[in-house]
Amino acid sequence: HQNPDVPDVYSFHVKSDIRFRFATTEITSLVVNNKTYARKATFNVILPEEAFISNFSMVIDGKEYPGHIHQMNQTDHETDEEDKKFNSQEQLPRGSTKFSATIKLGAQKQVLFKVRYQELLKRKLGFYEHIIYINPCRPIKDMSIEVYITESNKINILQVPPLRSVNPSVPVQDSANNSDVEIVRPSKTLAKITYRPPRNNEVVDGIFVVKYSVAQKKYTGEILSSNGYFVHFYIPEKLKPMKKDILFLLDTSSSMIGRKTDQLRSAMKLILNDLTGGERFNVLDFSHKLVFWQPKMTLWSEKNKNDCLKWINQRPIGGSTDINRAVVEGAKMMKTLDNTTSEGRARVILFLTDGSATFGESSRNVILNNLQKENLTKTPVFSLSFGADADMKLLQRISLQNSGEVKRIYESNDSAIQLKKFYDQISSTLMTDMKMKYIPKEVDNGSLTKSEFNQYFNGTETIVAGKLSDSYVKPTSWNLVATTSNGMIKRSKKFKRIRLDKSKKKFGFLTDNEVKNIPENLWAYLNIKQTLDKLTITNNEKEKEKLAKQLLDLSLKVSVIYHSGR
């Protein structure tokens, strides 16, 4: 809400420079105090929770005061109550975090706030999505957004829909175009998007979205190298999706009564309709009691689908939550699958709960150890944290320890759609047991980010970064070992090199040195993310100290502030 006794915001400008999926965004805002007395000036920026802040400064009386990163006391993770408070924050859009800076601005003074952050855009269902949050809370006459995109291949689809509402109940209109946007295409691989809202003295508030896809030529992997670092982007050639064996673990405890259960049943209808012949599935209904729909994994058919949906809709809701037995018995069910009939197939456990372990074993560490002992098939576990009361820390650890990921599902009218959208991203596996190997003479293999992946999903992208063995080396080839629908493959592939200086004319706002630093920054970005994951999983205090030091060293090396979100 607008406070009448705060300085005026004269301008709000956003610039983004996206180079090969890596987005650098700079926000500047001029705040003026026209009063004869000092007033508090606050600069609030909402940014994606995956982003790292790389620079912050204030310009007052023509002098720039830069922010600095200092070591802080290690406070490990938030408490459970803080975590629940964070989960239930409604003032922030989904998937975002907030950066704030406050100063006492003297009479008749002005301050120019500047913040820069960086983010790797993830490929989902074939598209990259760049999001900018606009929340000035007051009318601003001078407002603009400029987005520059530079890619190595043709940008074949580019969409800039109308501003999305921060209210999730308002329908998304991504198929329409934003009438206040101008798009210029200097070449097939470049795009500039400019947004200037009409000056009608109204508050502009919403989510600015740029979605684009890049043409996939027949190549075997692109490599970006500079200053002794490299980044390898890989999207495989057209592969046939693998048949899957999927087990759903569904919480039916008393906290699920009402809208949550209705939304879950709606989502399961959509998901089971997506399965096809030859795929196997089963459902475990759990509260303090555990009941499987079938005693073993069952082939999908129209009849089996309808029988399962009828069973789900008739299951009683109530009781406590036995998470330990649910995940352990789920892993045991996956072990019953015969390896001879599972070759060339993908296994997935989809685990949904809205609470914490209130029955049976409640220790997080014991639950994790029990699951690890039983999950000998290394089936990835994807956890869905439904609502604000779910034990997000436990679900994070379960998924990270078992090659999956966790997704927060917000309790609202669109919960079923959220569930289905997440399922869509993991519904089509192209490869399992994927290993990417590099030539030791060209690459320092000890510096590599994650290079082995349990599954590769259609519409995504695999990215590995590391240091070169020498700064002058130009890597030539790499090796891929994986399992596809046709069995195991072993291939040697040559790189396609991306030229950082592809455009002769200046495009975007990054300096030449900043462009050359992209491989190192991407390496650090991935390293920090993956080290945070390791910190979440471990319960060893010495290991925590070691990982915390690695995080500090990395953040100081590339001057970034990260949001752990855990």
Side-chain angles (χ1 to χ4, degrees), residues 311-363:
W311 181 83
I312 290 171
N313 290 335
Q314 291 177 346
R315 293 301 301 162
I317 310 299
S320 304
T321 310
D322 192 343
I323 287 177
N324 177 65
R325 284 185 63 224
V327 295
V328 166
E329 292 303 317
K332 286 181 179 179
M333 173 62 72
M334 300 308 281
K335 280 199 301 185
T336 64
L337 291 169
D338 187 347
N339 284 336
T340 59
T341 62
S342 298
E343 187 177 352
R345 302 177 68 90
R347 300 184 184 195
V348 174
I349 292 176
L350 201 61
F351 168 47
L352 179 142
T353 182
D354 73 332
S356 53
T358 58
F359 186 86
E361 183 58 64
S362 60
S363 165

Side-chain angles (χ1 to χ4, degrees), residues 76 137 220 339 414 439 508:
D76 195 13
C137 302
T220 57
N339 284 336
D414 72 335
I439 300 173

